[in-house]
Amino acid sequence: DFPMPFPLSQAVMAMMLLHWFLTALATATAVDHIAWAAFISFTIIFAFWCVHFIAVELEMPFGDDHNDIPIHEMQVDFNRSLREVMHVRARIPPVFRFEAQKHEDLAASETNLQEYIA
């Protein structure tokens, strides 16, 4: 577990707040109608804050939250898969007997990707 350093976290939060203020200021001066300026500001700021909170959630993927990776269940499933691979039937590959009459006439075709792209 490597949490985000506190100064970096504070710098990101300060930049997000500065972005919030500057985006509203820029759209207010660039757009004539106040409703459009509010909508554009809200959309841009909301998108950036969503990305920020997703990054915060992804910072610590292991734990007991609803969005965390179920590491215990994954380990149990992996152990079950390893036990299946160790089974006697899994150690012996199936036998293949080549029969010339049956296997030499396999249907095969050759395709060219450029024909589909052009």
Side-chain angles (χ1 to χ4, degrees), residues 2 27-28 35 42 48 70 80 85 99-103 111 117:
F2 297 102
T27 54
F42 174 78
F48 270 85
R80 187 179 311 118
V85 170
E99 298 174 16
Q101 189 177 25
K102 187 190 292 184
H103 295 112
T111 60
I117 294 174

Side-chain angles (χ1 to χ4, degrees), residues 8-27:
L8 179 62
S9 176
Q10 291 301 309
V12 167
M13 187 60 67
M15 286 189 286
M16 291 293 291
L17 292 172
L18 182 66
H19 175 264
W20 186 3
F21 175 74
L22 291 178
T23 301
L25 187 67
T27 54

Side-chain angles (χ1 to χ4, degrees), residues 14-69:
M15 286 189 286
M16 291 293 291
L17 292 172
L18 182 66
H19 175 264
W20 186 3
F21 175 74
L22 291 178
T23 301
L25 187 67
T27 54
T29 57
V31 178
D32 294 332
H33 298 288
I34 191 167
W36 278 111
F39 175 74
I40 292 169
S41 294
F42 174 78
T43 305
I44 293 170
I45 293 168
F46 182 74
F48 270 85
W49 280 95
C50 285
V51 170
H52 171 68
F53 285 118
I54 289 170
V56 167
E57 192 65 34
L58 291 176
E59 178 186 351
M60 296 293 283
F62 307 111
D64 296 331
D65 294 342
H66 292 292
N67 292 329
D68 290 336
I69 296 173

